[in-house]
Amino acid sequence: TVQKVGVVRYSPFADGGGNYSFSLALLNAHNSGIIITNMYGRQQSRVYTKKITEGKSEVPLTEEEAKAISVANNNQNQRQSN
């Protein structure tokens, strides 16, 4: 069950294109789940997924993907304190 959600928007390519790219972390209570990353550019768009197990990935995370996990955990902590 997804219990934590974090989204980071950014522009990954030099050709601009705005902040249409994103990394989305969907995690359970044990920090396991997936990250979906969409990198949008004017000439191309790429989608990647990475499996997350207890907060770690088998492959290196980008800075934005790591931040999406952090945002998901911070969002969960804010909900618990309210």
Side-chain angles (χ1 to χ4, degrees), residues 39-80:
M39 295 186 359
Y40 173 84
R42 292 181 184 175
Q43 301 297 319
Q44 61 188 345
S45 184
R46 300 176 183 171
V47 177
Y48 302 94
T49 61
K50 294 180 181 173
K51 181 180 175 184
I52 304 299
T53 304
E54 296 180 354
K56 298 187 193 267
S57 174
E58 295 176 352
V59 294
L61 298 174
T62 66
E63 180 181 329
E64 294 83 7
E65 290 167 337
K67 187 173 180 182
I69 290 174
S70 178
V71 169
N73 284 313
N74 288 337
N75 286 343
Q76 179 67 19
N77 292 338
Q78 288 175 356
R79 276 189 240 132
Q80 289 175 349

